């Protein structure tokens, strides 16, 4: 039986997308298929859907932020992943990082790039919207940062990120991380259990 490969729509600016990224390899082993990573621009999705980041939506709501923290701790224990290190430069403008993700796909270094970009955002956090800082960080991870940045400025690359983002909104996405199994959408890292169950048909 051929199982449907789940899609992971992500933006490096989301710490919950980072935690999902850490949890996905073990899920892939259990379900026997690889997730398809789809770079999107979270700012573009927010603008199209009139959504805001949790930092804004949780502000001033009694007990909600505290519950979100408990939920994150449960996720970390359940999936045996390391917690993220809060990026002191948050919010980070991820436009160039996400364009470079598209460029990395074209250059055949996508997996290495995704690992590096998430690492420098949420494991050893840096101001990744500073081009010099990002270039040094990505170079230290074995990538040709200058080549990727140059490729990221090509019209075709920019257009692909826009299309990914617009398509995500059309399909129902309003934030990151978002997952699809076929036409079924799941939002938030906690939904990874449901994603796994749907792929397995349980």
């Amino acid at each position: 039986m051929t199982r449907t490969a789940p899609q992971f729509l992500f933006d490096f600016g989301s710490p919950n997308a980072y935690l999902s990224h850490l949890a996905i390899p073990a899920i892939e082993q259990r379900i026997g298929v690889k997730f398809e990573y789809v770079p999107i621009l979270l700012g573009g999705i927010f603008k199209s859907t009139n959504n805001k980041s949790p930092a804004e939506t949780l502000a001033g709501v009694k007990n909600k932020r505290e519950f979100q923290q408990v939920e994150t701790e449960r996720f970390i224990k359940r999936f045996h992943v390391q917690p993220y290190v809060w990026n002191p430069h948050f919010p980070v403008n991820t436009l160039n990082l996400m364009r470079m993700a598209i460029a990395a796909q074209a250059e055949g270094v996508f997996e290495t790039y995704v690992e590096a970009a998430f690492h420098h955002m949420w494991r050893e956090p840096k101001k990744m919207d500073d081009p010099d800082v990002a270039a040094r960080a990505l170079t230290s991870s074995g990538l040709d940062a200058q080549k990727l940045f140059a490729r990221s400025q090509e019209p075709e690359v920019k257009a692909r990120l826009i299309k990914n983002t617009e398509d995500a909104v059309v399909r129902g996405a309003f934030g990151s991380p978002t997952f699809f199994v076929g036409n079924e959408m799941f939002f938030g890292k906690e939904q990874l259990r449901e994603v796994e169950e749907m792929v397995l048909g349980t």
Side-chain angles (χ1 to χ4, degrees), residues 95-108:
L95 177 59
N96 282 331
L97 284 179
M98 299 317 300
R99 285 175 175 170
M100 289 170 75
I102 302 290
Q105 286 180 320
E107 291 292 326

Side-chain angles (χ1 to χ4, degrees), residues 61-188:
V61 181
K62 184 177 176 62
N63 297 328
K64 193 171 182 182
R65 188 184 298 275
E66 289 79 3
F67 173 73
Q68 294 286 90
Q69 183 58 41
V70 169
E71 200 169 47
T72 294
E73 289 169 1
R74 288 174 182 156
F75 181 92
I76 288 167
K77 289 178 182 176
R78 180 182 303 121
F79 289 98
H80 307 289
V81 296
Q82 288 184 309
Y84 58 79
V85 178
W86 184 251
N87 193 313
H89 307 290
F90 187 87
V92 174
N93 184 328
T94 58
L95 177 59
N96 282 331
L97 284 179
M98 299 317 300
R99 285 175 175 170
M100 289 170 75
I102 302 290
Q105 286 180 320
E107 291 292 326
V109 293
F110 183 62
E111 289 189 12
T112 302
Y113 177 80
V114 168
E115 198 66 46
F118 268 133
H119 178 86
H120 295 295
M121 275 292 296
W122 300 111
R123 191 74 234 141
E124 295 181 20
K126 301 171 181 67
K127 187 171 172 53
M128 293 296 283
D129 51 5
D130 181 319
D132 292 334
V133 172
R136 287 194 298 270
L138 296 170
T139 299
S140 75
S141 294
L143 291 155
D144 187 337
Q146 297 303 329
K147 185 176 185 180
L148 288 174
F149 181 77
R151 188 89 190 254
S152 75
Q153 301 306 301
E154 294 177 0
E156 297 83 2
V157 169
K158 293 179 179 181
R160 170 54 62 182
L161 180 61
I162 291 171
K163 187 175 190 311
N164 283 0
T165 303
E166 290 176 343
D167 288 351
V169 172
V170 168
R171 295 175 75 190
F174 52 85
S176 173
T178 296
F179 308 93
F180 283 95
V181 180
N183 293 321
E184 293 288 330
M185 188 183 93
F186 303 85
F187 173 72

Side-chain angles (χ1 to χ4, degrees), residues 32-60:
V33 291
K34 298 273 286 181
F35 278 65
E36 178 192 349
Y37 278 55
V38 181
I40 51 90
L41 186 64
L42 189 52
I45 285 184
F46 282 171
K47 186 174 181 180
S48 295
T49 60
N50 199 31
N51 195 6
K52 296 178 181 177
S53 73
E56 293 179 89
T57 59
L58 298 184

